[in-house]
Amino acid sequence: MTKLVVEHDIPQVVADDRPPEDARGGVIPLLEQIGAVVVPLGVGLYALLYMGIEEMYAVFNVSPQQVGIDQSVLFSRLITTLVLLVLVLIPLVGMIVAAAWAVNKITFGRAARALDTVRRRPWTAAFLAALWCGATYAGAAAVFSPFDALGMAAVAGALALVAFLVPFRLLRRRQMGRAGVKVVTGTLTGIGLGFVLILEMIKGAAGIQATGQGNTFLDFLGFQDQWVVLKDADTDRPLYNGRWMMLLGESVGTYVFYDCDKLETFRRPIEGTHLAHMQLQPEREEGYTCGGLAGPETVD
């Protein structure tokens, strides 16, 4: 498209350097680009959260189903966790974008030009995407194997070079291939974030097992940090010397408790057990640890 400019009565034809309307982008292409990353990220994260809840309850030698957490309850907890993560990630992404904008302004646009140069170099872009995908496997290595930080970095680098670099470079030759790289990267990003959350779940459950006190992260997951004093349902006499027990849940006519003093998980029938006192998220004195308070006890 051109426009006619008249200057000093001499007609000149000046090229209009504005891109066509359809080349400037719009809402639909933007949503497609966001969805190409967010959807696979959310699916991968959801699957890993499911695995993380199983690992969290495994610390107490039980499964989620054994404490009464069925698929519907588990689904609602996971959705709640994802919503809370979105609420945290959106401001974080906004701050990163603002920081990037500020850096670009301070450098008079050099940062954006450097980033664009990297994007235009296929091997460099493929290497960065491959290294990012390899790093997601470092989280898996931390969960399932005793690798230290150096070992996890070696795993990430080896996978990036051997498994991802060449395929990503070949995929970048076409537009559909570049979209595929985004999907793979988004999926593995969600999986990597999920492994980080699994580590936090296991650490939180181990903290409760050792100190009898939960944390805010486990609260977001709906973990039941509830402590009760048990009494016999027939005689109303205190059980286990009236000590506090953590109620993990109930299923198939039985309560599941964790005895912080003896570091063990046990079950009792609901019909023979009365929950006399209840306490949510009890405050512990500084330095309190489980395992040292159990003495001679009477169990009826």
Side-chain angles (χ1 to χ4, degrees):
M1 182 172 62
T2 59
K3 61 182 180 180
L4 184 65
V5 177
V6 179
E7 184 176 358
H8 301 296
D9 298 329
I10 301 176
Q12 297 179 355
V13 177
V14 180
D16 190 349
D17 58 356
R18 291 179 300 175
E21 188 68 26
D22 56 352
R24 300 181 196 177
V27 176
I28 300 291
L30 177 62
L31 291 178
E32 290 177 349
Q33 293 184 16
I34 294 175
V37 177
V38 173
V39 172
L41 188 150
V43 172
L45 185 58
Y46 179 88
L48 268 294
L49 283 175
Y50 184 93
M51 183 188 301
I53 289 181
E54 290 187 331
E55 293 293 329
M56 179 176 64
Y57 279 99
V59 173
F60 300 99
N61 298 314
V62 293
S63 66
Q65 291 75 21
Q66 289 173 325
V67 296
I69 301 178
D70 56 17
Q71 293 296 325
S72 60
V73 175
L74 191 57
F75 178 78
S76 64
R77 287 189 179 185
L78 292 177
I79 292 299
T80 302
T81 303
L82 288 175
V83 170
L84 293 173
L85 283 174
V86 169
L87 291 177
V88 173
L89 289 176
I90 287 178
L92 181 61
V93 172
M95 288 186 289
I96 293 175
V97 172
W101 176 84
V103 169
N104 189 51
K105 288 296 183 181
I106 292 173
T107 58
F108 300 101
R110 295 188 182 92
R113 289 193 293 270
L115 180 61
D116 187 64
T117 301
V118 171
R119 291 180 58 189
R120 292 178 181 276
R121 295 185 177 182
W123 281 107
T124 304
F127 174 75
L128 292 177
L131 190 62
W132 180 264
C133 291
T136 62
Y137 283 85
V143 173
F144 298 112
S145 61
F147 284 134
D148 55 8
L150 184 60
M152 290 188 293
V155 170
L159 283 173
L161 294 176
V162 175
F164 294 110
L165 179 58
V166 174
F168 281 1
R169 172 62 185 90
L170 296 176
L171 286 172
R172 287 191 61 84
R173 293 179 176 179
R174 295 183 179 181
Q175 183 176 359
M176 184 175 295
R178 291 193 292 271
V181 172
K182 292 180 181 179
V183 172
V184 173
T185 304
T187 302
L188 291 181
T189 299
I191 292 175
L193 181 58
F195 278 120
V196 173
L197 295 178
I198 287 178
L199 288 174
E200 292 301 320
M201 293 180 197
I202 296 174
K203 289 180 181 179
I208 292 181
Q209 189 183 48
T211 66
Q213 189 170 9
N215 55 34
T216 304
F217 180 70
L218 293 184
D219 293 340
F220 288 158
L221 293 170
F223 186 80
Q224 187 167 287
D225 188 15
Q226 186 177 56
W227 296 76
V228 297
V229 174
L230 309 181
K231 288 186 178 181
D232 185 86
D234 298 326
T235 63
D236 204 36
R237 293 176 57 187
L239 302 174
Y240 308 101
N241 291 340
R243 294 185 285 110
W244 288 92
M245 305 289 177
M246 186 172 71
L247 176 62
L248 289 172
E250 59 182 86
S251 177
V252 195
T254 60
Y255 286 122
V256 182
F257 300 100
Y258 173 67
D259 188 343
C260 176
D261 300 322
K262 287 195 168 185
L263 302 177
E264 64 181 17
T265 303
F266 65 96
R267 296 175 175 84
R268 280 190 61 87
I270 293 177
E271 61 182 11
T273 307
H274 175 56
L275 306 181
H277 305 285
M278 294 186 177
Q279 188 177 15
L280 281 173
Q281 303 174 356
E283 292 291 335
R284 306 288 185 179
E285 59 270 18
E286 186 177 356
Y288 175 83
T289 57
C290 291
L293 299 179
E297 61 184 33
T298 300
V299 181
D300 296 333

